[in-house]
């Protein structure tokens, strides 16, 4: 009897666990709640449904107006509200429950009597409303009145966020976006239960906030004569009244706006307006090129600090949140090294070097901010030279900065470029609009864990949460911002909200089906990169062929492909398992769902030549980030395009040298290697390329050298082949050497930085 009872309990537990998994998928709530129980039945909201609220909930009218706004825009009616304890018939009730300790947490109950959301604060009620909106049909997000039933499933949800800081950032310095779009952006943040909007207001390429004491900051600093990439002027700024309007709009959605005024670097636009606060006195102009610029606030002049304090004195009252972001990243020290005032400051303050001078700079600004009731937060460079006493670190150069901060008992927000930079490509570059680089898919964002393993349990509390960043060098329009932000915001939202043990990628991707529908109904220009087909290639040394696997990020898609260069459709070959090729082949693939085309066409053109799949030994290691497929990446028959992120192998600050073993003495008519130049990205053609030959792999002769004649300063994207056509040559080994220029030239915006070499294939015919 005892064994049967234990078995029955085990079966019951198993059924409950299976049921919960199915229910999560069915409800498709993002971010996933901490606890969900689903009942049998539905409740329907009608015009007669009353909304009861507890008047002890501060600012509850903001939540009511928000909810009624969705009902009015999609269904054409609002709910009547009352603070009475009860009403006749089914109702929606917003109740205060002080037993819920986390003021962002909530309980949601839906049954035949109606809907009840309980929380200790209106913010928790607001997040419960977000869940209600997701439980309703997707039409609730429509901006036009449509005919649909407002049905919700019976359920019990207990929920609350894992992290306090759940942030989205937007750079308006590189490209300006009007207040209408900023409000939309805030709505997208709210939709995902996130609570921080990091507003990057100043840059080398533009100053975007009105400062009444210094009018030239906007008159001069907000206007750049052109953007080098397209040659068009760009301008725009926010008045203080517009800032107040946006901050109030965000507060009604329980979002704190964190302003960023960059210092001491990224300050060219400000110094173009007021050059006297630089080290050299100028003149300067607002930067027209992207990248890191050498102009910087002078840390030796007292007037500089007064200038910045006056600016902060105007800005601080506009933003009631506790944090103020001062940037602190990518601050070149070349000007400080030659500035007599800065060197005098170093000597008089007993500082060791320019890094400690930056620490001095940040610590002075922190004291000022603290005196105004604000906490300083900055990018992880503020750790260099010593961290300001109470500063919070935003870790973007990986996780090291966050770890260092937490171990020294400072708070940190995790925002590593590897997972949290939404200016990166989210799909294969050939299928995407131009991006700054990187490759950060929806699944990769979802895989991020904000608490590093290196931290002890006691140190976990210093990780406030995580944030995703949208830098806009290559994102000029609101529609493009939406494309880069969604759907990846869904992934970072769940990273920040849902407990680690509840996260499951397959479950998340299945819930994204309805989220995509919500985006569509809401008119959001979301990326569909997740539907695109990846053509994964791996060279099979045993068969001397290329094994191909076709896959997509989203499950349950039908993939069709062709091998003759024609565009695939549902009449083409349906993919079922990996296959191999060993001859010139133009592979094209596309995904379908329910016979509807879901993706762009992905193309891979394989060219089989005499070096295809041959053994290759590379002397200096390439960067894993730019592997072009690994060991056989330079002999796999694939060629790079205009994006250096695809099929290009990258070498930072070192020469390229490789030996190719053809296996036996082979007649050679042509050898070609291609390199790419994008000097704004620190990528240059080699100074020269040299080929030499050997039969035994020891003694090389017949050197052929090709000197590069294309200027390093040539802008844009340059792809250059270095080709030789030797006469009467038979050889087994080919050595290829390409000379890296080493560092960025003096004219570069970041002189002295390590230069890159990118090579795509060693073609032998």
């Amino acid at each position: 009897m005892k064994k049967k009872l234990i078995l029955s309990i085990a079966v019951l537990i198993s059924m409950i666990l299976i049921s919960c998994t199915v229910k999560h998928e069915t409800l498709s709530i993002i971010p996933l709640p901490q606890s969900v129980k689903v009942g049998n039945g539905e409740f329907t909201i009608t015009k007669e449904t009353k909304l009861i609220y507890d008047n002890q909930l501060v600012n509850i009218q903001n939540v009511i107006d928000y909810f009624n706004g969705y009902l009015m825009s999609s269904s054409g009616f609002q709910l009547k509200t009352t603070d009475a304890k009860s009403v006749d018939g089914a109702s929606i009730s917003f109740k205060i429950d002080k037993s819920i300790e986390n003021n962002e947490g909530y309980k949601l109950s839906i049954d035949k009597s109606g809907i009840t959301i309980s929380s200790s604060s209106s913010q928790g009620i607001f997040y419960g409303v977000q869940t209600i909106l997701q439980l309703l049909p997707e039409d609730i997000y429509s901006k036009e009145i449509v005919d649909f039933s407002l049905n919700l499933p019976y359920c019990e949800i207990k929920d609350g966020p894992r992290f306090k800081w759940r942030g989205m950032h937007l750079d308006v310095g590189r490209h300006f976006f009007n207040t209408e779009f900023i409000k939309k952006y805030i709505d997208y943040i709210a939709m995902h239960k996130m609570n921080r909007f990091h507003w990057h207001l100043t840059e080398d390429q533009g100053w975007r906030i009105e400062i009444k004491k210094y009018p030239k900051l906007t008159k001069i600093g907000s206007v750049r004569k052109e953007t080098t990439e397209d040659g068009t002027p760009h301008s725009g700024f926010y008045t203080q009244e517009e800032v107040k309007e946006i901050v109030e709009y965000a507060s009604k959605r329980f979002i704190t706006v964190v302003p960023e005024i960059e210092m001491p670097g990224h300050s060219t636009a400000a110094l173009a307006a007021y050059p006297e606060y630089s080290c050299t006195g100028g003149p300067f102009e607002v930067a027209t090129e992207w990248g890191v610029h050498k102009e910087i606030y002078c840390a030796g002049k007292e007037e500089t600090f007064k200038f910045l304090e006056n600016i902060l004195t105007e800005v601080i009252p506009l933003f009631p949140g506790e944090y103020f972001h001062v940037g602190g990243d990518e601050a070149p020290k070349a000007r400080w090294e030659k500035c007599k005032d800065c060197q005098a400051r170093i000597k008089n303050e007993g500082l060791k070097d320019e890094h400690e001078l930056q620490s001095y700079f940040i610590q002075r600004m922190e004291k000022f901010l603290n005196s105004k009731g604000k906490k300083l937060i900055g990018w992880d460079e503020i750790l260099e030279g010593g961290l300001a006493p109470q500063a919070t670190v935003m870790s973007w150069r990986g996780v090291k900065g966050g770890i260092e901060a937490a171990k020294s008992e400072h708070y940190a927000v995790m925002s590593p470029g590897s997972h949290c930079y939404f200016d990166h490509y989210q799909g294969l570059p050939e299928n995407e609009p131009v991006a700054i680089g990187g490759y950060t898919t929806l699944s990769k964002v979802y895989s991020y864990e904000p608490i590093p393993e290196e931290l002890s349990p006691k140190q976990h509390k210093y990780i406030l949460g995580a944030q995703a960043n949208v830098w806009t060098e290559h994102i000029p329009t609101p529609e493009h911002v939406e494309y880069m932000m969604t759907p990846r915001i869904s992934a970072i939202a769940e990273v920040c909200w849902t407990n680690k043990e509840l996260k499951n990628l397959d479950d998340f991707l299945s819930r994204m089906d309805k989220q995509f529908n919500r985006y569509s109904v809401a008119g959001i220009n979301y990326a569909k990169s997740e539907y695109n087909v990846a053509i994964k290639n791996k060279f099979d040394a045993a068969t001397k062929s290329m094994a191909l696997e076709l896959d997509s990020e989203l499950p349950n898609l039908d993939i069709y492909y062709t091998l003759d260069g024609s565009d695939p459709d549902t009449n083409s070959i349906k993919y079922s398992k990996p296959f191999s090729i060993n001859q010139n082949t133009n592979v094209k693939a596309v995904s379908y769902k329910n016979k509807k085309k879901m993706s762009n066409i992905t193309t891979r053109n394989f060219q089989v030549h005499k070096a295809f799949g041959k053994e290759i030994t590379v002397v200096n290691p390439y960067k894993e980030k730019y592997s072009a497929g690994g060991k056989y990446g330079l002999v796999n028959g694939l060629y790079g395009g205009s994006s250096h992120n695809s099929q290009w192998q990258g070498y930072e600050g070192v020469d390229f040298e490789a030996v190719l073993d053809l296996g036996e003495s082979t007649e050679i008519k042509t050898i070609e290697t291609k390199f790419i130049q994008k000097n704004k990205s620190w990528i240059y053609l080699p100074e020269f390329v040299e080929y030499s030959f050997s039969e035994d792999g020891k003694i090389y002769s017949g050197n052929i050298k090709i000197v590069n004649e294309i200027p390093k300063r040539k802008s844009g994207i340059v792809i250059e082949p270095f080709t030789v056509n030797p006469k009467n040559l038979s050889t087994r080994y080919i050595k290829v050497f390409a000379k890296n220029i080493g560092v960025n030239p003096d004219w570069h915006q970041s002189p002295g930085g390590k230069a890159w070499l990118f090579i795509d294939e060693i073609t032998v015919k």
Side-chain angles (χ1 to χ4, degrees):
M1 184 69 186
K2 191 173 182 181
K3 287 183 180 179
K4 287 184 178 180
L5 178 61
I6 292 171
L7 182 61
S8 297
I9 292 171
V11 171
L12 178 61
I13 291 171
S14 176
M15 289 173 65
I16 290 171
L17 289 174
I18 293 170
S19 175
C20 283
T21 302
V22 173
K23 287 163 188 172
H24 283 165
E25 289 181 4
T26 303
L27 296 184
S28 295
I29 302 169
I30 292 174
L32 183 70
Q34 309 298 1
S35 171
V36 177
K37 294 180 181 177
V38 179
N40 294 316
E42 288 185 330
F43 174 74
T44 302
I45 299 173
T46 68
K47 294 178 182 179
E48 284 70 42
T49 304
K50 299 290 194 304
L51 195 160
I52 307 171
Y53 65 92
D54 192 322
N55 56 23
Q56 293 183 68
L57 288 163
V58 179
N59 296 323
I60 192 62
Q61 191 61 47
N62 292 335
V63 184
I64 294 169
D65 292 345
Y66 183 88
F67 184 46
N68 267 332
Y70 272 96
L71 291 174
M72 177 58 77
S73 64
S74 63
S75 301
F77 69 87
Q78 294 184 339
L79 299 182
K80 293 180 180 179
T81 62
T82 177
D83 61 356
K85 298 297 182 183
S86 63
V87 296
D88 294 334
S91 63
I92 299 174
S93 180
F94 296 166
K95 289 186 175 181
I96 192 164
D97 184 348
K98 294 183 179 178
S99 69
I100 300 174
E101 295 181 3
N102 185 337
N103 69 340
E104 293 186 298
Y106 66 93
K107 294 178 183 176
L108 170 63
S109 174
I110 304 176
D111 56 27
K112 63 182 180 180
S113 65
I115 301 170
T116 301
I117 306 176
S118 304
S119 178
S120 58
S121 78
S122 294
Q123 187 168 3
I125 301 291
F126 182 76
Y127 295 139
V129 165
Q130 295 297 343
T131 299
I132 287 178
L133 293 174
Q134 291 196 15
L135 292 173
L136 286 164
E138 293 94 327
D139 285 332
I140 191 67
Y141 291 95
S142 174
K143 301 296 189 295
E144 298 178 353
I145 296 175
V146 292
D147 183 18
F148 71 106
S149 296
L150 296 163
N151 300 327
L152 302 95
Y154 290 174
C155 62
E156 295 281 342
I157 295 175
K158 293 180 181 179
D159 202 8
R162 180 185 178 196
F163 291 107
K164 294 179 180 178
W165 190 296
R166 307 181 301 281
M168 282 298 303
H169 153 289
L170 181 63
D171 163 25
V172 297
R174 275 55 176 255
H175 283 101
F176 174 79
F177 305 96
N178 64 25
T179 56
E180 180 184 357
F181 179 70
I182 298 299
K183 289 178 181 179
K184 269 190 179 181
Y185 196 82
I186 288 168
D187 280 333
Y188 302 152
I189 296 172
M191 178 182 177
H192 294 82
K193 299 190 177 90
M194 302 183 82
N195 64 357
R196 295 291 193 282
F197 170 41
H198 176 172
W199 202 2
H200 186 83
L201 289 162
T202 68
E203 256 306 333
D204 291 304
Q205 295 83 12
W207 183 281
R208 305 294 178 209
I209 182 169
E210 176 191 26
I211 306 297
K212 293 177 181 178
K213 189 175 181 67
Y214 301 107
K216 288 190 289 185
L217 283 172
T218 47
K219 184 178 180 180
I220 295 173
S222 73
V223 182
R224 63 174 179 264
K225 66 180 183 183
E226 66 173 355
T227 303
T228 302
E229 290 182 327
D230 58 22
T232 59
H234 191 81
S235 63
F237 68 92
Y238 307 95
T239 67
Q240 291 189 11
E241 288 305 310
E242 287 174 324
V243 170
K244 290 176 185 176
E245 181 185 334
I246 287 167
V247 170
E248 182 182 7
Y249 188 87
S251 70
K252 288 181 177 179
R253 287 146 181 79
F254 301 92
I255 292 167
T256 301
V257 182
V258 181
E260 181 178 357
I261 304 293
E262 274 273 14
M263 59 183 79
H266 287 285
S267 51
T268 307
L271 294 174
Y274 293 95
E276 59 267 35
Y277 303 116
S278 70
C279 290
T280 66
F284 313 112
E285 63 177 24
V286 178
T288 60
E289 295 186 351
W290 313 132
V292 179
H293 293 260
K294 59 187 175 184
E295 302 311 333
I296 189 170
Y297 290 122
C298 179
K301 296 175 183 175
E302 280 300 306
E303 296 85 353
T304 301
F305 292 98
K306 188 63 178 174
F307 172 68
L308 291 170
E309 288 171 2
N310 287 339
I311 290 171
L312 296 184
T313 297
E314 285 196 33
V315 175
I316 285 170
L318 304 175
F319 297 93
E322 62 180 329
Y323 281 100
F324 199 103
H325 207 298
V326 298
D329 63 312
E330 298 178 327
K333 308 299 189 294
R335 293 299 195 200
W336 285 358
E337 290 168 0
K338 296 179 180 179
C339 173
K340 62 180 179 58
D341 293 318
C342 291
Q343 292 304 309
R345 176 81 71 186
I346 290 173
K347 182 179 179 181
N348 294 337
E349 296 291 336
L351 305 175
K352 185 168 62 177
D353 54 21
E354 286 74 23
H355 291 291
E356 288 197 359
L357 180 60
Q358 177 164 337
S359 178
Y360 166 86
F361 192 112
I362 297 298
Q363 289 191 42
R364 276 195 64 164
M365 300 316 300
E366 182 187 51
K367 287 178 182 177
F368 181 78
L369 287 169
N370 292 164
S371 74
K372 300 291 185 180
K374 297 295 181 183
K375 295 179 181 178
L376 180 146
I377 185 170
W379 303 108
D380 55 58
E381 283 93 333
I382 67 173
L383 286 157
E384 297 169 4
L387 187 58
Q390 300 176 56
T392 297
V393 171
M394 189 166 277
S395 189
W396 74 278
R397 296 179 301 175
V399 299
K400 184 179 177 183
I403 293 170
E404 186 178 338
K407 286 185 174 180
S408 61
E409 299 184 350
H410 281 259
Y411 289 105
V413 175
M414 306 304 287
S415 190
S418 58
H419 293 76
C420 298
Y421 269 43
F422 288 4
D423 54 336
H424 289 181
Y425 287 102
Q426 54 194 316
L428 298 171
E430 57 264 37
N431 288 329
E432 297 292 318
V434 173
I436 200 166
Y439 187 58
T440 307
T441 62
L442 180 68
S443 299
K444 186 174 181 181
V445 176
Y446 190 80
S447 73
Y448 182 57
E449 167 49 42
I451 297 181
E453 292 181 359
E454 292 89 333
L455 297 182
S456 69
K458 289 183 179 180
Q459 293 165 340
H460 289 183
K461 66 181 179 181
Y462 293 106
I463 304 300
L464 293 177
Q467 176 176 292
N469 301 322
V470 180
W471 301 100
T472 62
E473 286 94 334
H474 303 285
I475 307 176
T477 65
E479 294 76 20
H480 198 169
V481 172
E482 291 180 358
Y483 183 92
M484 302 303 279
M485 179 192 197
T486 50
R488 289 185 288 191
I489 188 175
S490 289
I492 195 67
E494 193 148 311
V495 166
C496 293
W497 183 278
T498 305
N499 286 348
K500 179 181 178 181
E501 63 272 14
L502 294 177
K503 286 178 59 191
N504 178 284
L505 178 60
D506 290 339
D507 176 58
F508 169 74
L509 292 175
S510 70
R511 282 181 281 120
M512 284 302 296
D513 266 352
K514 283 196 174 181
Q515 189 78 327
F516 289 137
N517 291 341
R518 294 178 191 121
Y519 289 158
S520 294
V521 173
I524 300 171
N525 183 41
Y526 69 95
K528 301 176 180 64
S529 316
E530 300 73 23
Y531 290 103
N532 288 336
V533 179
I535 302 177
K536 301 175 182 178
N537 54 279
K538 185 177 181 181
F539 188 78
D540 187 338
T543 62
K544 298 298 179 184
S545 64
M546 189 68 72
L548 301 184
E549 180 183 352
L550 309 186
D551 195 13
S552 61
E553 195 172 358
L554 294 175
N556 305 319
L557 297 178
D558 294 322
I559 296 174
Y560 296 88
Y561 69 96
T562 61
L563 301 175
D564 59 2
S566 61
D567 288 348
D569 56 27
T570 53
N571 295 315
S572 304
I573 308 168
K574 186 175 182 179
Y575 177 76
S576 59
K577 62 182 180 180
F579 57 94
S580 297
I581 60 169
N582 56 12
Q583 60 185 358
N584 291 353
T585 307
N586 190 356
V587 184
K588 289 188 174 183
V590 69
S591 74
Y592 278 78
K593 187 171 186 176
N594 299 325
K595 299 298 181 181
K596 179 183 178 183
K597 183 179 176 183
M598 302 302 295
S599 74
N600 296 324
I601 294 174
T602 302
T603 300
R604 284 287 180 271
N605 189 9
F606 293 91
Q607 296 185 28
V608 177
H609 50 84
K610 290 184 177 181
F612 180 79
K614 298 297 192 256
E615 288 301 313
I616 183 170
T617 304
V618 178
V619 175
N620 293 318
Y622 51 79
K623 288 291 183 179
E624 273 306 317
K625 185 178 178 181
Y626 303 109
S627 69
K631 178 179 178 180
Y632 294 98
L634 300 182
V635 288
N636 63 3
L638 288 170
Y639 296 82
S642 59
S643 169
H644 62 276
N645 292 273
S646 179
Q647 305 306 326
W648 292 94
Q649 202 167 82
Y651 296 81
E652 183 184 23
V654 296
D655 301 326
F656 171 79
E657 184 175 353
V659 173
L660 184 62
D661 181 0
L662 300 178
E664 61 184 7
S665 188
T666 305
E667 183 181 355
I668 306 298
K669 293 184 178 180
T670 302
I671 309 170
E672 180 179 279
T673 54
K674 285 182 182 175
F675 294 84
I676 188 171
Q677 177 163 296
K678 298 167 76 174
N679 53 33
K680 290 178 188 174
S681 300
W682 304 21
I683 302 168
Y684 302 87
L685 298 174
E687 291 184 8
F688 63 85
V689 175
E690 187 172 63
Y691 301 97
S692 54
F693 314 98
S694 173
E695 285 292 345
D696 60 7
K698 298 176 182 178
I699 301 173
Y700 286 83
S701 60
N703 295 11
I704 305 175
K705 184 176 182 180
I706 306 172
V707 177
N708 174 46
E709 296 181 353
I710 295 175
K712 299 178 184 66
R713 244 187 160 140
K714 186 170 182 178
S715 60
I717 299 170
V718 181
I719 297 176
E720 182 68 10
F722 289 73
T723 308
V724 294
N725 300 291
K727 293 182 179 179
N728 304 317
L729 174 65
S730 290
T731 188
R732 174 175 174 175
Y733 297 93
I734 302 172
K735 181 184 289 186
V736 183
F737 178 85
K739 182 65 177 175
N740 192 326
I741 71 165
V743 297
N744 288 329
D746 290 341
W747 50 261
H748 196 273
Q749 67 264 31
S750 301
K754 289 183 180 180
W756 285 79
L757 267 181
F758 276 85
I759 179 174
D760 73 342
E761 183 84 354
I762 302 173
T763 304
V764 179
K765 296 180 179 179

